[in-house]
Amino acid sequence: MRKPSKLSEVAKLAGVSPITASRAVRGVGYVSEATRARIMEAAARLHYTPDMLARRMRGDKSNLIGVFVNNYGSVVLHEMIRTISDHARQRGYDLIIFNAERFAGPGRLGTSEMLSKLCDGLLLVLPTCGDLYLDVVNECRFPCVLMNFEAQDMNVPVITVENRIGARTATEHLLSLGHRRIAFIAGTPGTGQSAERYKGYCEALAAAGVEPDPALVVQGAFNQTSGYAATEQLIALPQPPSAIFAANDEMAFGAMDALKSRGLSVPGDVSVIGFDDIPTSSYVFPKLTTMRPPYDAMGERAVTEVIALIQGAEIKPAKIRYGLELVTRNSTAPLART
């Protein structure tokens, strides 16, 4: 195996002193553009990679942003990371991604300390890591931004969507089609997003004068399997729903699968609406009606916020919310009159 190139080798190939090569690579101090270009070309030819940990120990910036995730299988998460990565690279930063799923216990909290030593800042996306970890985040003074989080007030910026308003819009859409027995499939409670979507669902029903039926609210887990199981429970009711609002698209896919397996038509027999507008939503059959978040704007704002903190902005609480768009496709239709 080839040994990693040293900075001294880069300096020799570029015909400069090691100090000048160091300045160019670190982006610290004056180096002419022509000399910097020659040094960076030499570094590329030698496949030289700076020691990020050494840079951090010297007090330099690593130009790395750490991203904590808690469910790497989530399609929404992939969409968020894609936009975050695009905007971070436009600003000269790269990402390190850490899967914090089942992240619990004081013995694991050192991971964030390790990442903080390597990275300039942290983004926590869907952080269901438990109260202990969130308490650590709340108390630290390290550049940190949370995304898609509603469960509690935090002392750091939080980027999220208007979950309650979006859910109210989704439910109002079903009400406008004549549906009154509208079911809600809830997601896991960790981030607080499902709870906000449930509140929006209840608000829309109340405004329409519809009495909520507790039997029409079933717990899911933000995945397709749980949406299937919840729907089987709903259609077994003596008075099954004519429409289902699933708290995310993946559970909506499960709902449609369960309905089809029982010989029911979507939307002929039961209308289904989701939340998130993941790419698959426009390819399933029927195409899914859903609520679309502005993923690109959210990713850009998250990167802007964490870089501002990296550059010395004061860390203070802020809840930055984004509106959603109702995307009407083929999975919802007017209530069939009998």
Side-chain angles (χ1 to χ4, degrees):
M1 178 180 283
R2 185 183 183 278
K3 291 183 179 180
S5 298
K6 297 179 180 179
L7 186 60
S8 59
E9 295 172 347
V10 174
K12 182 177 180 180
L13 181 61
V16 298
S17 70
I19 292 177
T20 301
S22 176
R23 286 176 179 167
V25 170
R26 294 167 59 195
V28 177
Y30 174 76
V31 179
S32 72
E33 288 303 315
T35 302
R36 186 186 304 278
R38 195 165 72 248
I39 293 167
M40 299 312 290
E41 181 183 355
R45 287 176 58 187
L46 293 172
H47 304 289
Y48 172 75
T49 303
D51 186 333
M52 295 298 184
L53 187 56
R55 287 178 60 173
R56 292 288 290 164
M57 291 176 69
R58 289 195 301 266
D60 296 341
K61 300 294 184 186
S62 66
N63 284 5
L64 292 173
I65 295 172
V67 180
F68 269 54
V69 301
N70 71 342
N71 177 10
Y72 204 69
S74 165
V75 181
V76 172
L77 189 60
H78 291 178
E79 288 297 295
M80 296 304 308
I81 290 177
R82 180 181 60 79
T83 61
I84 290 167
S85 178
D86 289 345
H87 289 289
R89 287 181 175 176
Q90 290 171 16
R91 303 283 294 272
Y93 285 79
D94 282 311
L95 305 183
I96 290 180
I97 300 173
F98 175 76
N99 185 8
E101 193 170 10
R102 301 184 183 88
F103 186 96
R108 299 298 305 279
L109 298 179
T111 305
S112 59
E113 184 179 353
M114 178 272 290
L115 280 182
S116 68
K117 289 179 179 177
L118 184 60
C119 302
D120 297 329
L122 296 177
L123 287 174
L124 281 79
V125 186
L126 302 175
T128 55
C129 302
D131 294 341
L132 179 61
Y133 184 74
L134 292 172
D135 287 345
V136 171
V137 171
N138 235 2
E139 293 170 5
C140 80
R141 304 308 297 167
F142 186 75
C144 180
V145 174
L146 273 67
M147 297 190 71
N148 294 356
F149 188 72
E150 296 272 14
Q152 66 187 64
D153 292 333
M154 300 293 292
N155 292 327
V156 298
V158 178
I159 313 294
T160 188
V161 297
E162 293 282 7
N163 285 290
R164 188 184 302 196
I165 295 173
R168 193 162 65 224
T169 300
T171 309
E172 287 170 350
H173 170 68
L174 297 173
L175 289 164
S176 72
L177 295 173
H179 297 281
R180 291 299 180 267
R181 285 196 61 76
I182 300 171
F184 178 74
I185 303 178
T188 47
T191 64
Q193 295 184 103
S194 181
E196 287 296 301
R197 293 171 194 179
Y198 174 67
K199 291 175 184 176
Y201 159 81
C202 292
E203 287 175 359
L205 293 181
V210 176
E211 186 70 28
D213 183 349
L216 293 178
V217 178
V218 182
Q219 184 65 53
F222 281 138
N223 57 45
Q224 192 162 341
T225 303
S226 68
Y228 190 104
T231 301
E232 286 201 313
Q233 182 178 333
L234 288 166
I235 59 181
L237 292 171
Q239 289 183 282
S242 66
I244 295 173
F245 170 28
N248 79 339
D249 289 350
E250 293 183 64
M251 291 194 298
F253 298 157
M256 291 196 295
D257 287 344
L259 292 166
K260 292 172 192 174
S261 74
R262 294 300 184 94
L264 296 171
S265 166
V266 178
D269 295 312
V270 182
S271 286
V272 177
I273 189 169
F275 202 106
D276 289 332
D277 193 30
I278 60 178
T280 319
S281 298
S282 58
Y283 296 102
V284 294
F285 182 80
K287 295 180 180 180
L288 181 67
T289 297
T290 185
M291 301 301 301
R292 176 186 293 163
Y295 291 116
D296 188 69
M298 293 173 69
E300 182 178 17
R301 184 61 181 269
V303 170
T304 297
E305 289 291 322
V306 77
I307 290 178
L309 297 178
I310 289 168
Q311 294 175 345
E314 182 184 354
I315 299 175
K316 51 187 178 181
K319 188 69 70 76
I320 303 161
R321 296 184 182 275
Y322 284 84
L324 300 105
E325 175 190 357
L326 172 65
V327 181
T328 306
R329 296 194 181 104
N330 309 119
S331 67
T332 54
L335 175 67
R337 300 295 179 182
T338 57

